[in-house]
Amino acid sequence: MKINIFTLLLFLIICLTFTSFAFAQDSKNTRERLNERLQMLIELQKLKDYERLYDLLTKKGADSRESFVKTNKTFDSFGRAELSKFVPKGVYLIEPGNDWGLIKGCGEFVEKGKKKILESQVEAVYENDDWYFSSLITISGAFGIKPKKCSLNQ
């Protein structure tokens, strides 16, 4: 397997950067609030409720609500793998401020009637006094790297 040196270097920088698990103790910037928002994201993604999902996403450079809904319904019509379960395994926030990072875990996806249980992740951002996400929960992986299997057990 050939790995690009830039990809390897970028991966090492990201791994070294996400070493903090501490949270600022602002009223909404807490582990509990992040977990509440994550549980909403999981449930709405399973239901494909893109109207309400849009409200959980960061709006930096985002499409309009209508465009977001239409795009995701189109992806669904092409048979995109659908999230049926997500078990978080770790929260990796970046200092200072602990207001951005990754939530990594194990996701169960159904694609063409078959279940796949693979490492998954979502990016979390603390802005406008609450936690938001940059996207839907996705299968972890990079170009040329096969997604890894995982266990849904805590």
Side-chain angles (χ1 to χ4, degrees), residues 46-107:
K46 287 174 14 182
L47 295 171
K48 299 181 187 178
D49 187 342
Y50 300 119
E51 286 282 339
R52 291 177 43 209
L53 265 169
Y54 185 82
D55 295 329
L56 292 175
L57 301 181
T58 182
K59 303 305 183 275
K60 293 180 181 173
D63 292 336
S64 68
R65 178 184 305 270
E66 295 76 22
S67 177
F68 174 79
V69 171
K70 182 179 178 183
T71 299
N72 280 284
K73 286 183 177 182
T74 300
F75 287 150
D76 289 343
S77 71
F78 288 126
R80 161 175 61 186
E82 299 173 15
L83 180 73
S84 57
K85 189 172 187 178
F86 179 75
V87 177
K89 302 284 185 170
V91 177
Y92 305 92
L93 297 177
I94 188 170
E95 288 186 39
N98 296 312
D99 57 359
W100 178 86
L102 287 176
I103 300 171
K104 298 186 114 196
C106 188

Side-chain angles (χ1 to χ4, degrees), residues 23-51:
F23 283 79
Q25 292 305 309
D26 185 280
S27 62
K28 288 187 179 178
N29 188 7
T30 63
R31 181 177 298 275
E32 293 79 22
R33 183 60 180 163
L34 178 54
N35 187 52
E36 286 173 21
R37 301 281 285 180
L38 177 62
Q39 294 309 313
M40 283 189 270
L41 180 76
I42 294 167
E43 193 57 33
L44 294 174
Q45 186 169 341
K46 287 174 14 182
L47 295 171
K48 299 181 187 178
D49 187 342
Y50 300 119
E51 286 282 339

